[in-house]
Amino acid sequence: ETLQRIVSTLVNKNDEIHNFIDMLNHTITNVQVNSSNAISELDEEFDGLYSVLHEMKGSMANTIQQEEARKIQALQDQLSQCSRALESSEELLELAVQSLDIKNPVELLEVENIDWIVTVASAFRLSLKPKVSDSMTHMMVDFALEKRMLQAVKFLPVPKAPEIDVAACLVADNCITISWRMPEEDSRIDHFVLEYRKTNFDGLPRLKGEQRWELVDYIKATQYTLSGLRFDTKYMNLRVQACNKAVAGEYSDPVTLETKAFVFSLDSTSSHLNLKVEDTYVEWDPTGGKGQEKIKGKENKNSNTASPKRSTNSPRASARGSRDRFAGESYTVLGDTAVESGQHYWEVRAQKDCKSYSVGVTYRNPGKFDQLGKTNSSWCIHINNWLQTTFSAKHNNKAKTLDIPVPDRIGVYCDFDGGQLSFYNASSKALLHTFRTKFTQPLLPGFMIWCGGLTVTTGLQVPSAVKTLQKSENGLGGSTSSLNNVA
């Protein structure tokens, strides 16, 4: 025994080392890939900076050119005015000079208004000062401050890895609420990224045999709720990373949360031949039993022989056992996993055109002609939509009419140890009926269908609302237990 423990310990340690080696090799590859990505991103950032500077240079050069054009236009307009005034002034000068040579008084009278003409001449109304300055100093720039800023540019600090607060994490109602905090305040954090994946291994994530990480991006708060999950594995790995505007930090240490729930499929190997079964869906098939009696007989003949490819030690194999196919009017299919302890929950949705169906549980080996609720080893609720809708609870061939509307989805709650089987409106969580008894054998989920189809949803935790109702219901007896007294 001691050697066996040593061998087992060494095997586990070897597995851990192999896993760690794989992780190191994977990390080396990631370092190379991420370095290449970082260089590419650096090139893109500098190219973007060059582009901004080039655009700014073009815009500022255009402004200088516009200022140049404005000043030249103003000076050219002034130059044109001066040229016209000079031309007029020269004509007056010539007239005045000619007037100096006039001796005849009569001729002098003809030019006596020359002083007024000179007074109003445009040359005497001109401002002989340029309208604009030739200086362009107001268009000069000083990039000294910007140069110092650019020279101070460094890699943006990588955000530190967040710390997941395991005590604040909550797993309930097929939802996972995960909370985390930063090791120190960082105002540059823009958002967080959450990654999660399902696993059947406790402890640290593994590289081999694991599902890929699922990602939730751009989380602004330090808490997030994953909802609507199907808990079809034992655990879930979760990790978080912080991101600023340019870079993402390291992931937090991953945490592994238990996601325990009851998971089963429908067992097609022993279902009625008129039922078409696919994993979690069963449908009435009126042609299913025709021409298959020989196959059926062969299956029954060999029913006590286990398939060499199927391990008889597995829970599902032991749950199936060596049952014959259901026959006659027992249009029944069972789940492939037995309830042997604990509290479990699953849901059923019937098609709208379904004429008749039952939902319940039965002991492991019912007779092939047995119908749910008509034996002392099965319990169910039955819905009949043939002529008029009837809704009843059945056990030991006794029926109790349920004077309540039939819900679209039915939730089944089984407390094996507490001896309780309850049915709920899966949407409102209103109680439909409760059976109370002492279960003496493992239970299998059972479903009867005629004309229509049923969809079964598994991997569900017991809803919090059901747990709350159970606390109040456990103190009540009365009519809910009347069908069990017969047993």
Side-chain angles (χ1 to χ4, degrees):
E1 292 179 357
T2 302
L3 286 174
Q4 185 63 44
R5 286 196 298 271
I6 293 173
V7 169
S8 178
T9 301
L10 288 174
V11 168
N12 291 334
K13 179 57 66 176
N14 286 345
D15 287 343
E16 292 178 4
I17 295 174
H18 279 299
N19 185 56
F20 186 63
I21 290 173
D22 290 339
M23 186 177 294
L24 289 176
N25 288 326
H26 186 68
T27 303
I28 290 173
T29 301
N30 283 347
V31 167
Q32 295 171 336
V33 172
N34 292 337
S35 297
S36 178
N37 291 339
I39 291 175
S40 298
E41 291 175 0
L42 183 66
D43 288 340
E44 290 179 5
E45 289 295 329
F46 271 90
D47 288 343
L49 183 60
Y50 299 150
S51 177
V52 170
L53 290 173
H54 184 72
E55 184 177 346
M56 288 180 61
K57 178 182 176 182
S59 176
M60 296 177 79
N62 185 55
T63 302
I64 293 174
Q65 291 170 350
Q66 290 177 352
E67 180 69 1
E68 176 192 11
R70 184 188 69 81
K71 285 191 171 186
I72 289 177
Q73 184 64 47
L75 292 171
Q76 285 180 342
D77 290 344
Q78 195 173 15
L79 181 61
S80 297
Q81 292 176 0
C82 289
S83 297
R84 290 193 295 271
L86 181 60
E87 183 179 353
S88 175
S89 178
E90 288 176 348
E91 291 177 354
L92 286 174
L93 178 61
E94 184 179 356
L95 177 61
V97 171
Q98 291 176 354
S99 299
L100 290 176
D101 297 332
I102 297 175
K103 304 299 182 181
N104 189 338
V106 176
E107 292 181 358
L108 282 174
L109 289 175
E110 293 179 356
V111 295
E112 64 180 353
N113 293 329
I114 191 171
D115 57 341
W116 178 81
I117 294 173
V118 171
T119 301
V120 300
S122 59
F124 292 93
R125 289 182 288 109
L126 280 176
S127 172
L128 299 180
K129 180 181 178 181
K131 287 184 178 181
V132 295
S133 169
D134 61 354
S135 173
M136 296 293 284
T137 56
H138 63 293
M139 290 294 182
M140 304 302 291
V141 295
D142 180 10
F143 284 133
L145 176 61
E146 287 74 10
K147 285 180 180 178
R148 288 195 295 271
M149 291 176 62
L150 288 173
Q151 289 168 350
V153 170
K154 294 182 176 62
F155 291 110
L156 191 65
V158 177
K160 293 188 176 181
E163 298 173 351
I164 297 178
D165 186 0
V166 179
C169 296
L170 178 65
V171 179
D173 298 319
N174 284 82
C175 298
I176 294 179
T177 298
I178 181 170
S179 299
W180 60 88
R181 56 178 174 267
M182 294 300 296
E184 59 186 47
E185 188 68 25
D186 189 347
S187 61
R188 288 168 292 195
I189 297 298
D190 178 69
H191 65 275
F192 297 93
V193 176
L194 168 65
E195 290 192 345
Y196 64 96
R197 66 180 177 183
K198 298 177 180 180
T199 177
N200 284 313
F201 299 103
D202 193 4
L204 294 175
R206 305 187 179 196
L207 289 178
K208 292 184 177 180
E210 294 283 6
Q211 298 184 28
R212 296 181 60 183
W213 291 99
E214 301 288 338
L215 183 144
V216 181
D217 205 350
Y218 297 105
I219 301 173
K220 294 295 185 178
T222 56
Q223 178 176 294
Y224 190 81
T225 298
L226 295 166
S227 58
L229 300 172
R230 182 171 184 250
F231 289 166
D232 50 0
T233 59
K234 296 179 181 179
Y235 304 96
M236 186 172 288
N237 300 138
L238 302 106
R239 64 185 186 182
V240 182
Q241 69 176 164
C243 306
N244 54 34
K245 291 291 185 181
V247 65
E250 294 292 329
Y251 281 101
S252 65
D253 290 334
V255 299
T256 301
L257 301 180
E258 186 176 12
T259 53
K260 187 177 180 181
F262 184 47
V263 181
F264 66 89
S265 298
L266 299 179
D267 181 11
S268 61
T269 62
S270 59
S271 66
H272 196 286
L273 289 173
N274 283 112
L275 299 183
K276 181 180 179 181
V277 178
E278 296 180 3
D279 194 20
T280 56
Y281 177 75
V282 54
E283 184 178 36
W284 166 259
D285 181 7
T287 65
K290 295 181 179 180
Q292 299 189 35
E293 292 300 323
K294 292 183 179 180
I295 298 176
K296 174 184 172 185
K298 184 177 180 180
E299 288 179 352
N300 290 341
K301 181 179 180 181
N302 298 328
S303 60
N304 293 325
T305 303
S307 170
K309 295 183 180 180
R310 182 182 299 167
S311 172
T312 57
N313 295 324
S314 69
R316 294 190 175 185
S318 62
R320 288 190 288 263
S322 57
R323 293 193 303 270
D324 291 338
R325 279 191 178 274
F326 288 101
E329 294 184 356
S330 181
Y331 305 114
T332 304
V333 61
L334 303 179
D336 62 1
T337 304
V339 174
E340 301 185 34
S341 63
Q343 302 176 26
H344 307 282
Y345 179 85
W346 59 95
E347 293 182 355
V348 182
R349 180 191 291 273
Q351 292 180 345
K352 292 184 178 180
D353 60 349
C354 194
K355 299 302 182 185
S356 178
Y357 61 96
S358 298
V359 178
V361 297
T362 178
Y363 285 155
R364 193 185 298 248
N365 291 308
K368 65 179 182 179
F369 296 104
D370 288 347
Q371 298 182 32
L372 291 178
K374 290 191 176 184
T375 67
N376 63 358
S377 60
S378 62
W379 299 258
C380 73
I381 57 174
H382 177 73
I383 296 91
N384 190 336
N385 292 319
W386 179 239
L387 296 177
Q388 59 182 7
T389 300
T390 59
F391 193 17
S392 60
K394 291 185 176 184
H395 170 64
N396 201 24
N397 208 24
K398 301 290 185 179
K400 176 181 174 61
T401 300
L402 305 179
D403 191 17
I404 49 180
V406 179
D408 292 334
R409 287 185 298 125
I410 297 173
V412 183
Y413 167 77
C414 179
D415 181 359
F416 186 91
D417 302 315
Q420 185 170 326
L421 178 69
S422 297
F423 298 89
Y424 289 87
N425 181 323
S427 299
S428 67
K429 299 301 183 290
L431 179 64
L432 304 176
H433 185 76
T434 294
F435 292 104
R436 297 180 188 277
T437 188
K438 181 180 181 180
F439 298 120
T440 59
Q441 300 180 37
L443 295 169
L444 288 172
F447 311 90
M448 188 282 293
I449 182 73
W450 181 64
C451 292
L454 292 177
T455 299
V456 183
T457 303
T458 70
L460 301 177
Q461 291 184 306
V462 178
S464 299
V466 170
K467 291 181 179 179
T468 302
L469 287 169
Q470 287 300 318
K471 290 180 181 179
S472 59
E473 185 195 353
N474 286 338
L476 302 176
S479 61
T480 57
S481 61
S482 62
L483 291 177
N484 301 297
N485 295 332
V486 179

